Amino acid sequence: MTDTNWNDYSLETQAIRAGHRRTHEDEHSIPIFATSSYVFKSAEEASLRFTGKIAGNIYSRFTNPTVDAFQQRLALMEKGERCLAFASGMAAIMAVGMGLLKAGDHVVCSRGVFGNTVMIFTNYFAKFGVETDFVDLIDTAAWEAAIKPNTRFLFLETPSNPLVEIADIQALADIAHAHGCLLIVDNCFCTPVLQKPFELGADIVVHSATKYIDGQGRCVGGAVIASNEIIEQFIYPYLRTGGATMSPFNAWVFLSGLETLAIRMKAHCDSAFELAKWLEQQPSVAKVHYAGLPSHAQHELAKRQQSHFGGIVSFELTGGKDHAWRLIDATRIISITANLGDVKTTITHPATTTHGRLTPELRAKAGIKDGLVRISVGLENLEDIKNDLLRGL
Ligand SMILES: *Cc1c(COP(=O)(O)O)cnc(C)c1O
Protein backbone atom coordinates (compact mmCIF):
# COMPACT_ATOMS: atom_id res chain seq x y z
CA MET A 1 0.00 0.00 0.00
CA THR A 2 2.87 2.36 0.74
CA ASP A 3 4.02 2.23 -2.90
CA THR A 4 0.60 3.05 -4.34
CA ASN A 5 0.58 6.01 -6.71
CA TRP A 6 -2.59 7.68 -5.52
CA ASN A 7 -2.63 10.01 -8.50
CA ASP A 8 -3.92 7.04 -10.51
CA TYR A 9 -7.07 6.85 -8.39
CA SER A 10 -10.26 8.89 -8.35
CA LEU A 11 -11.12 11.45 -5.70
CA GLU A 12 -13.52 9.18 -3.79
CA THR A 13 -10.82 6.51 -3.41
CA GLN A 14 -8.08 9.00 -2.50
CA ALA A 15 -10.42 10.49 0.12
CA ILE A 16 -10.71 7.13 1.88
CA ARG A 17 -7.34 5.47 1.29
CA ALA A 18 -4.56 8.00 0.62
CA GLY A 19 -2.19 9.45 3.20
CA HIS A 20 -2.08 6.64 5.75
CA ARG A 21 1.36 5.04 6.15
CA ARG A 22 0.55 1.96 8.22
CA THR A 23 2.83 1.45 11.22
CA HIS A 24 4.35 -1.80 12.59
CA GLU A 25 1.11 -2.24 14.61
CA ASP A 26 -0.85 -2.99 11.39
CA GLU A 27 -3.69 -0.66 12.37
CA HIS A 28 -6.61 -0.32 9.93
CA SER A 29 -7.71 3.16 11.05
CA ILE A 30 -5.17 5.95 11.06
CA PRO A 31 -3.68 6.66 14.52
CA ILE A 32 -3.55 10.03 16.27
CA PHE A 33 0.14 10.74 16.86
CA ALA A 34 -0.21 12.68 20.10
CA THR A 35 3.44 13.64 20.41
CA SER A 36 5.03 17.06 20.38
CA SER A 37 8.55 15.87 19.56
CA TYR A 38 10.43 12.91 18.05
CA VAL A 39 13.50 10.97 19.13
CA PHE A 40 16.76 10.64 17.20
CA LYS A 41 18.94 7.54 17.18
CA SER A 42 22.12 9.57 17.66
CA ALA A 43 23.48 13.07 17.94
CA GLU A 44 24.51 12.83 14.33
CA GLU A 45 20.99 11.91 13.21
CA ALA A 46 19.57 14.82 15.21
CA SER A 47 21.98 17.16 13.46
CA LEU A 48 21.17 15.79 10.00
CA ARG A 49 17.43 16.13 10.55
CA PHE A 50 17.63 19.63 11.97
CA THR A 51 19.69 20.85 9.06
CA GLY A 52 17.34 19.18 6.57
CA LYS A 53 20.06 16.85 5.21
CA ILE A 54 17.83 13.85 5.92
CA ALA A 55 14.05 13.76 6.06
CA GLY A 56 12.19 12.94 9.26
CA ASN A 57 10.13 14.33 12.07
CA ILE A 58 11.60 16.84 14.51
CA TYR A 59 8.79 18.68 16.23
CA SER A 60 5.00 18.73 15.73
CA ARG A 61 4.82 22.46 15.11
CA PHE A 62 5.87 21.63 11.56
CA THR A 63 5.57 17.86 10.99
CA ASN A 64 3.27 15.25 12.52
CA PRO A 65 2.26 11.96 10.85
CA THR A 66 -1.50 12.42 11.42
CA VAL A 67 -1.41 15.99 10.14
CA ASP A 68 0.79 14.84 7.25
CA ALA A 69 -1.77 12.20 6.25
CA PHE A 70 -4.45 14.90 6.09
CA GLN A 71 -2.15 17.13 4.03
CA GLN A 72 -1.32 14.39 1.53
CA ARG A 73 -4.95 13.39 1.14
CA LEU A 74 -6.25 16.92 0.59
CA ALA A 75 -3.41 17.76 -1.86
CA LEU A 76 -4.36 14.73 -3.98
CA MET A 77 -8.05 15.58 -3.90
CA GLU A 78 -7.38 19.19 -4.98
CA LYS A 79 -4.93 17.99 -7.68
CA GLY A 80 -2.30 20.24 -6.14
CA GLU A 81 1.32 19.30 -5.42
CA ARG A 82 1.61 20.05 -1.72
CA CYS A 83 -0.71 20.91 1.16
CA LEU A 84 0.06 22.40 4.56
CA ALA A 85 -2.54 22.28 7.33
CA PHE A 86 -3.18 25.19 9.71
CA ALA A 87 -4.98 25.79 13.00
CA SER A 88 -7.90 27.50 11.22
CA GLY A 89 -8.99 28.80 7.85
CA MET A 90 -7.93 32.28 8.92
CA ALA A 91 -4.47 30.98 9.94
CA ALA A 92 -4.12 29.50 6.44
CA ILE A 93 -5.02 32.83 4.80
CA MET A 94 -2.69 34.67 7.21
CA ALA A 95 0.12 32.29 6.21
CA VAL A 96 -0.38 33.03 2.51
CA GLY A 97 -0.09 36.75 3.21
CA MET A 98 2.82 36.47 5.63
CA GLY A 99 4.66 34.18 3.26
CA LEU A 100 4.11 36.07 0.02
CA LEU A 101 3.75 39.77 0.90
CA LYS A 102 6.21 42.48 1.86
CA ALA A 103 5.87 46.19 2.53
CA GLY A 104 5.02 48.06 -0.66
CA ASP A 105 3.07 45.18 -2.20
CA HIS A 106 -0.50 45.42 -3.43
CA VAL A 107 -3.37 42.90 -3.38
CA VAL A 108 -6.66 42.79 -5.30
CA CYS A 109 -9.42 41.01 -3.43
CA SER A 110 -13.09 40.38 -4.16
CA ARG A 111 -15.46 42.52 -2.12
CA GLY A 112 -17.66 39.70 -0.85
CA VAL A 113 -14.99 37.56 0.86
CA PHE A 114 -15.33 36.22 4.40
CA GLY A 115 -15.41 39.14 6.88
CA ASN A 116 -12.21 38.22 8.70
CA THR A 117 -10.38 37.90 5.40
CA VAL A 118 -11.28 41.52 4.67
CA MET A 119 -9.97 42.46 8.12
CA ILE A 120 -6.67 40.63 7.62
CA PHE A 121 -6.01 42.81 4.59
CA THR A 122 -7.44 46.11 5.90
CA ASN A 123 -6.48 45.95 9.62
CA TYR A 124 -3.27 43.91 9.63
CA PHE A 125 -1.40 43.73 6.33
CA ALA A 126 -2.20 47.44 5.85
CA LYS A 127 -0.26 48.18 9.08
CA PHE A 128 2.85 46.76 7.41
CA GLY A 129 2.50 48.73 4.20
CA VAL A 130 0.51 46.32 2.04
CA GLU A 131 -2.33 48.00 0.18
CA THR A 132 -5.51 46.14 -0.86
CA ASP A 133 -8.17 47.13 -3.37
CA PHE A 134 -11.55 45.41 -3.31
CA VAL A 135 -13.44 44.75 -6.54
CA ASP A 136 -16.71 43.13 -7.60
CA LEU A 137 -16.24 39.36 -7.79
CA ILE A 138 -17.97 38.98 -11.15
CA ASP A 139 -16.61 42.13 -12.84
CA THR A 140 -13.61 40.67 -14.68
CA ALA A 141 -12.68 44.04 -16.22
CA ALA A 142 -12.57 45.64 -12.74
CA TRP A 143 -10.07 42.99 -11.58
CA GLU A 144 -7.76 43.77 -14.47
CA ALA A 145 -8.15 47.54 -14.00
CA ALA A 146 -7.22 47.25 -10.31
CA ILE A 147 -3.89 45.51 -10.98
CA LYS A 148 -0.80 47.69 -10.43
CA PRO A 149 2.88 47.04 -11.11
CA ASN A 150 3.31 46.03 -7.43
CA THR A 151 0.29 43.68 -7.27
CA ARG A 152 1.42 40.37 -5.80
CA PHE A 153 -1.80 38.36 -5.99
CA LEU A 154 -5.54 38.31 -6.65
CA PHE A 155 -7.66 36.71 -3.91
CA LEU A 156 -11.22 35.47 -4.31
CA GLU A 157 -13.95 33.19 -3.02
CA THR A 158 -16.34 31.56 -5.46
CA PRO A 159 -19.25 31.03 -4.97
CA SER A 160 -19.54 34.16 -2.85
CA ASN A 161 -21.28 34.35 0.50
CA PRO A 162 -24.23 34.90 0.86
CA LEU A 163 -25.30 35.77 -2.71
CA VAL A 164 -23.59 32.77 -4.36
CA GLU A 165 -22.15 34.80 -7.23
CA ILE A 166 -19.70 32.86 -9.39
CA ALA A 167 -16.30 34.19 -10.56
CA ASP A 168 -14.69 32.96 -13.77
CA ILE A 169 -11.54 31.37 -12.29
CA GLN A 170 -9.95 30.62 -15.66
CA ALA A 171 -10.40 34.20 -16.92
CA LEU A 172 -9.01 35.68 -13.68
CA ALA A 173 -6.06 33.26 -13.68
CA ASP A 174 -5.19 34.36 -17.23
CA ILE A 175 -5.40 38.03 -16.18
CA ALA A 176 -3.29 37.43 -13.07
CA HIS A 177 -0.60 35.60 -15.01
CA ALA A 178 -0.53 38.17 -17.82
CA HIS A 179 0.40 40.74 -15.12
CA GLY A 180 2.89 38.53 -13.27
CA CYS A 181 0.56 37.97 -10.27
CA LEU A 182 -0.70 34.84 -8.56
CA LEU A 183 -4.35 33.82 -8.28
CA ILE A 184 -5.49 32.57 -4.87
CA VAL A 185 -8.87 30.84 -4.52
CA ASP A 186 -10.66 30.15 -1.23
CA ASN A 187 -12.37 26.86 -2.19
CA CYS A 188 -14.24 26.43 1.08
CA PHE A 189 -17.78 26.53 -0.35
CA CYS A 190 -17.22 24.04 -3.18
CA THR A 191 -14.48 21.79 -1.79
CA PRO A 192 -12.44 19.77 -4.33
CA VAL A 193 -15.51 17.60 -4.86
CA LEU A 194 -17.32 20.37 -6.78
CA GLN A 195 -14.53 22.59 -8.08
CA LYS A 196 -10.83 22.15 -8.93
CA PRO A 197 -9.26 25.64 -9.07
CA PHE A 198 -5.83 24.31 -10.12
CA GLU A 199 -7.31 22.84 -13.32
CA LEU A 200 -8.61 26.36 -14.06
CA GLY A 201 -5.22 28.02 -13.54
CA ALA A 202 -5.24 29.01 -9.85
CA ASP A 203 -1.84 29.08 -8.14
CA ILE A 204 -2.88 28.63 -4.50
CA VAL A 205 -6.02 27.15 -2.94
CA VAL A 206 -6.95 27.89 0.67
CA HIS A 207 -9.50 26.11 2.82
CA SER A 208 -11.40 26.48 6.01
CA ALA A 209 -11.59 22.77 6.93
CA THR A 210 -14.02 23.85 9.64
CA LYS A 211 -16.89 23.79 7.14
CA TYR A 212 -17.61 20.95 4.69
CA ILE A 213 -14.31 19.10 5.23
CA ASP A 214 -15.23 18.43 8.85
CA GLY A 215 -18.88 18.42 7.88
CA GLN A 216 -20.20 17.88 11.38
CA GLY A 217 -19.26 21.14 13.08
CA ARG A 218 -16.62 19.77 15.47
CA CYS A 219 -13.16 21.20 14.76
CA VAL A 220 -11.57 24.39 13.48
CA GLY A 221 -8.83 24.00 10.87
CA GLY A 222 -7.48 25.22 7.55
CA ALA A 223 -5.13 24.40 4.70
CA VAL A 224 -3.00 25.91 1.94
CA ILE A 225 -2.40 23.92 -1.25
CA ALA A 226 0.13 25.01 -3.88
CA SER A 227 3.12 23.89 -5.96
CA ASN A 228 6.15 22.40 -4.19
CA GLU A 229 8.03 25.56 -5.05
CA ILE A 230 5.50 27.96 -3.48
CA ILE A 231 5.09 25.79 -0.39
CA GLU A 232 8.85 25.31 0.13
CA GLN A 233 9.78 28.90 -0.56
CA PHE A 234 6.96 30.88 1.08
CA ILE A 235 4.49 28.86 3.16
CA TYR A 236 6.40 26.12 4.99
CA PRO A 237 9.05 28.49 6.43
CA TYR A 238 6.24 30.66 7.81
CA LEU A 239 4.37 27.68 9.31
CA ARG A 240 7.56 26.41 10.93
CA THR A 241 8.27 29.83 12.43
CA GLY A 242 4.79 31.31 12.89
CA GLY A 243 3.40 28.16 14.44
CA ALA A 244 -0.35 28.24 13.63
CA THR A 245 -0.25 24.46 13.42
CA MET A 246 -3.18 22.05 13.10
CA SER A 247 -3.44 19.67 16.05
CA PRO A 248 -3.16 15.92 15.30
CA PHE A 249 -6.55 15.34 16.90
CA ASN A 250 -8.19 17.84 14.55
CA ALA A 251 -6.33 16.34 11.58
CA TRP A 252 -7.73 12.95 12.54
CA VAL A 253 -11.29 14.33 12.60
CA PHE A 254 -10.74 16.05 9.24
CA LEU A 255 -9.32 12.82 7.74
CA SER A 256 -12.57 11.04 8.52
CA GLY A 257 -14.47 14.10 7.26
CA LEU A 258 -12.69 13.76 3.90
CA GLU A 259 -13.72 10.08 3.71
CA THR A 260 -17.41 11.03 3.42
CA LEU A 261 -16.94 14.40 1.69
CA ALA A 262 -17.92 13.31 -1.84
CA ILE A 263 -21.09 11.56 -0.77
CA ARG A 264 -22.05 14.39 1.61
CA MET A 265 -21.48 17.10 -1.00
CA LYS A 266 -23.71 15.27 -3.47
CA ALA A 267 -26.47 15.02 -0.86
CA HIS A 268 -26.04 18.69 0.22
CA CYS A 269 -26.23 19.80 -3.44
CA ASP A 270 -29.25 17.64 -4.28
CA SER A 271 -31.21 18.95 -1.30
CA ALA A 272 -30.13 22.57 -1.89
CA PHE A 273 -31.21 22.36 -5.53
CA GLU A 274 -34.63 20.99 -4.58
CA LEU A 275 -35.05 23.58 -1.84
CA ALA A 276 -34.06 26.42 -4.20
CA LYS A 277 -36.66 25.32 -6.78
CA TRP A 278 -39.30 25.02 -4.06
CA LEU A 279 -38.46 28.44 -2.58
CA GLU A 280 -38.74 30.04 -6.02
CA GLN A 281 -42.41 28.97 -6.09
CA GLN A 282 -43.30 30.47 -2.70
CA PRO A 283 -45.39 33.67 -3.04
CA SER A 284 -43.60 35.47 -0.18
CA VAL A 285 -40.15 34.85 -1.73
CA ALA A 286 -39.06 37.68 -4.04
CA LYS A 287 -35.81 36.14 -5.27
CA VAL A 288 -33.75 32.97 -4.79
CA HIS A 289 -29.96 33.01 -5.16
CA TYR A 290 -28.74 29.59 -6.27
CA ALA A 291 -26.42 28.92 -9.23
CA GLY A 292 -28.39 25.84 -10.23
CA LEU A 293 -31.42 27.93 -11.17
CA PRO A 294 -31.60 29.17 -14.78
CA SER A 295 -32.57 32.57 -13.26
CA HIS A 296 -29.04 32.87 -11.75
CA ALA A 297 -26.87 35.35 -13.67
CA GLN A 298 -23.86 32.98 -13.83
CA HIS A 299 -25.80 29.74 -14.27
CA GLU A 300 -23.89 28.74 -17.44
CA LEU A 301 -20.50 29.55 -15.89
CA ALA A 302 -21.38 27.53 -12.78
CA LYS A 303 -22.33 24.55 -14.99
CA ARG A 304 -18.93 24.74 -16.72
CA GLN A 305 -16.82 25.42 -13.66
CA GLN A 306 -18.43 23.28 -10.96
CA SER A 307 -19.60 19.68 -10.99
CA HIS A 308 -22.66 20.67 -8.94
CA PHE A 309 -24.09 23.91 -7.54
CA GLY A 310 -23.30 23.68 -3.83
CA GLY A 311 -25.18 23.49 -0.55
CA ILE A 312 -25.82 27.18 0.16
CA VAL A 313 -29.09 28.85 -0.84
CA SER A 314 -30.09 32.41 -0.06
CA PHE A 315 -33.40 34.12 -0.74
CA GLU A 316 -35.15 37.46 -0.29
CA LEU A 317 -38.48 37.73 1.46
CA THR A 318 -41.01 40.31 0.26
CA GLY A 319 -41.60 41.38 3.88
CA GLY A 320 -38.07 42.70 4.58
CA LYS A 321 -36.22 42.33 7.88
CA ASP A 322 -39.27 41.71 10.08
CA HIS A 323 -40.37 38.85 7.87
CA ALA A 324 -36.84 37.39 7.77
CA TRP A 325 -36.58 37.44 11.58
CA ARG A 326 -40.09 35.94 11.90
CA LEU A 327 -39.18 33.13 9.52
CA ILE A 328 -35.94 32.41 11.38
CA ASP A 329 -37.66 32.47 14.79
CA ALA A 330 -40.45 30.17 13.57
CA THR A 331 -38.02 27.32 12.78
CA ARG A 332 -37.90 24.40 15.23
CA ILE A 333 -35.13 22.15 13.92
CA ILE A 334 -32.95 24.42 11.76
CA SER A 335 -30.07 25.93 13.79
CA ILE A 336 -29.84 29.71 14.00
CA THR A 337 -26.10 30.08 13.45
CA ALA A 338 -23.79 31.59 10.87
CA ASN A 339 -21.73 28.39 10.57
CA LEU A 340 -22.10 26.39 7.38
CA GLY A 341 -21.16 23.11 5.75
CA ASP A 342 -22.64 21.03 8.55
CA VAL A 343 -24.95 18.00 8.24
CA LYS A 344 -27.29 20.17 10.33
CA THR A 345 -29.17 22.81 8.33
CA THR A 346 -28.33 26.34 9.51
CA ILE A 347 -30.08 29.65 8.91
CA THR A 348 -28.84 33.22 9.25
CA HIS A 349 -29.90 36.81 8.54
CA PRO A 350 -26.80 38.34 6.87
CA ALA A 351 -27.91 42.00 7.13
CA THR A 352 -27.93 41.91 10.95
CA THR A 353 -25.20 39.29 11.62
CA THR A 354 -22.30 38.57 9.23
CA HIS A 355 -22.81 41.90 7.41
CA GLY A 356 -24.28 43.81 10.38
CA ARG A 357 -21.20 45.98 10.90
CA LEU A 358 -21.34 47.41 7.38
CA THR A 359 -23.02 50.79 6.88
CA PRO A 360 -26.43 50.59 5.14
CA GLU A 361 -24.79 52.09 2.01
CA LEU A 362 -22.03 49.46 1.89
CA ARG A 363 -24.60 46.75 2.55
CA ALA A 364 -26.73 47.99 -0.33
CA LYS A 365 -23.64 48.08 -2.55
CA ALA A 366 -22.90 44.48 -1.61
CA GLY A 367 -26.48 43.52 -2.52
CA ILE A 368 -27.37 42.37 1.01
CA LYS A 369 -31.07 43.23 1.30
CA ASP A 370 -32.90 43.42 4.64
CA GLY A 371 -35.16 40.53 3.60
CA LEU A 372 -32.24 38.23 2.71
CA VAL A 373 -31.97 34.87 4.49
CA ARG A 374 -29.11 32.39 3.99
CA ILE A 375 -29.48 28.66 4.48
CA SER A 376 -26.70 26.07 4.56
CA VAL A 377 -28.70 23.03 3.57
CA GLY A 378 -27.92 20.01 5.74
CA LEU A 379 -28.69 16.36 5.37
CA GLU A 380 -31.94 16.09 7.33
CA ASN A 381 -35.02 14.93 5.42
CA LEU A 382 -35.84 17.73 2.98
CA GLU A 383 -39.60 17.63 3.66
CA ASP A 384 -38.87 18.32 7.34
CA ILE A 385 -36.74 21.32 6.35
CA LYS A 386 -39.44 22.66 4.03
CA ASN A 387 -42.05 22.29 6.78
CA ASP A 388 -39.73 24.08 9.20
CA LEU A 389 -39.54 27.02 6.77
CA LEU A 390 -43.18 26.93 5.68
CA ARG A 391 -44.31 28.04 9.13
CA GLY A 392 -42.54 31.38 8.66
CA LEU A 393 -43.14 31.80 4.93
C1 LIG B 1 -15.20 30.16 7.70
C2 LIG B 1 -14.48 30.67 6.52
C3 LIG B 1 -13.14 31.08 6.60
C4 LIG B 1 -12.40 31.10 7.93
O1 LIG B 1 -12.18 29.82 8.40
P1 LIG B 1 -12.01 29.49 9.97
O2 LIG B 1 -11.75 28.03 9.94
O3 LIG B 1 -13.30 29.88 10.63
O4 LIG B 1 -10.86 30.28 10.46
C5 LIG B 1 -12.50 31.51 5.46
N1 LIG B 1 -13.14 31.51 4.28
C6 LIG B 1 -14.43 31.13 4.15
C7 LIG B 1 -15.08 31.16 2.81
C8 LIG B 1 -15.14 30.69 5.26
O5 LIG B 1 -16.41 30.32 5.13
Side-chain angles (χ1 to χ4, degrees):
M1 243 180 89
T2 42
D3 299 333
T4 310
N5 182 0
W6 291 110
N7 286 304
D8 296 341
Y9 290 83
S10 59
L11 177 140
E12 293 83 355
T13 307
Q14 293 166 344
I16 290 170
R17 299 255 169 208
H20 180 192
R21 271 178 297 137
R22 194 161 288 155
T23 75
H24 59 280
E25 299 290 357
D26 302 322
E27 76 283 351
H28 194 198
S29 172
I30 193 158
I32 303 174
F33 283 88
T35 179
S36 50
S37 70
Y38 303 84
V39 199
F40 312 108
K41 288 181 190 69
S42 64
E44 187 193 11
E45 192 190 42
S47 156
L48 292 171
R49 277 204 213 168
F50 263 89
T51 51
K53 293 197 179 91
I54 59 167
N57 294 310
I58 300 172
Y59 189 58
S60 281
R61 189 187 325 113
F62 39 100
T63 62
N64 175 280
T66 315
V67 177
D68 193 49
F70 169 74
Q71 295 175 157
Q72 284 189 25
R73 194 174 282 186
L74 185 57
L76 282 159
M77 292 170 72
E78 279 287 359
K79 294 191 184 294
E81 285 178 7
R82 279 276 295 282
C83 169
L84 286 182
F86 287 87
S88 68
M90 291 322 304
I93 294 168
M94 190 73 187
V96 168
M98 292 300 276
L100 288 168
L101 298 170
K102 62 178 187 319
D105 281 348
H106 175 252
V107 170
V108 186
C109 183
S110 58
R111 198 167 278 132
V113 290
F114 190 67
N116 292 107
T117 305
V118 174
M119 282 196 233
I120 278 197
F121 290 120
T122 55
N123 294 6
Y124 294 95
F125 290 135
K127 285 205 300 186
F128 301 98
V130 174
E131 190 197 3
T132 302
D133 279 312
F134 293 91
V135 297
D136 259 12
L137 179 69
I138 58 173
D139 187 348
T140 309
W143 283 93
E144 182 149 36
I147 294 175
K148 300 179 182 184
N150 57 340
T151 303
R152 183 72 169 109
F153 59 70
L154 316 184
F155 187 105
L156 63 88
E157 263 167 43
T158 179
S160 70
N161 179 25
L163 295 176
V164 288
E165 291 183 313
I166 313 284
D168 188 333
I169 297 176
Q170 180 90 63
L172 291 173
D174 290 347
I175 288 172
H177 298 156
H179 293 270
C181 318
L182 302 176
L183 178 69
I184 304 178
V185 175
D186 182 332
N187 203 25
C188 167
F189 271 45
C190 273
T191 82
V193 175
L194 305 186
Q195 174 167 281
K196 301 255 188 347
F198 290 122
E199 290 183 341
L200 301 163
D203 301 286
I204 300 180
V205 167
V206 296
H207 270 290
S208 167
T210 316
K211 315 294 167 54
Y212 287 107
I213 290 178
D214 177 323
Q216 297 184 48
R218 298 162 293 193
C219 294
V220 176
V224 177
I225 303 112
S227 65
N228 277 318
E229 194 190 333
I230 289 177
I231 294 285
E232 282 296 326
Q233 206 179 333
F234 301 107
I235 313 296
Y236 177 75
Y238 172 73
L239 172 68
R240 186 167 173 160
T241 308
T245 307
M246 177 181 283
S247 86
F249 175 80
N250 288 4
W252 180 80
V253 172
F254 293 135
L255 276 161
S256 58
L258 288 176
E259 290 172 6
T260 57
L261 185 64
I263 200 165
R264 277 188 289 110
M265 289 312 289
K266 183 177 186 316
H268 281 296
C269 292
D270 288 348
S271 278
F273 196 7
E274 286 307 312
L275 188 72
K277 285 189 283 189
W278 177 80
L279 282 166
E280 220 174 24
Q281 287 162 6
Q282 303 305 310
S284 60
V285 173
K287 183 165 178 52
V288 180
H289 301 271
Y290 188 70
L293 300 173
S295 61
H296 188 284
Q298 296 95 41
H299 176 60
E300 291 304 319
L301 171 62
K303 272 207 288 202
R304 267 203 323 274
Q305 185 164 281
Q306 302 175 197
S307 66
H308 209 323
F309 302 108
I312 311 292
V313 180
S314 63
F315 57 100
E316 285 156 26
L317 291 160
T318 49
K321 182 202 140 189
D322 290 347
H323 193 183
W325 278 27
R326 248 188 292 127
L327 173 108
I328 290 169
D329 290 341
T331 59
R332 291 179 192 161
I333 55 170
I334 300 177
S335 313
I336 307 174
T337 169
N339 199 25
L340 59 94
D342 198 304
V343 293
K344 298 186 177 93
T345 298
T346 65
I347 193 163
T348 189
H349 183 238
T352 53
T353 59
T354 51
H355 295 69
R357 281 175 292 178
L358 297 181
T359 62
E361 295 74 46
L362 279 177
R363 216 163 27 241
K365 205 168 168 205
I368 312 293
K369 302 240 171 81
D370 286 347
L372 187 76
V373 173
R374 191 202 71 192
I375 294 188
S376 168
V377 183
L379 304 186
E380 304 95 335
N381 182 290
L382 186 59
E383 293 309 310
D384 291 335
I385 296 301
K386 287 182 189 167
N387 287 333
D388 216 29
L389 294 169
L390 205 49
R391 224 174 290 115
L393 284 171

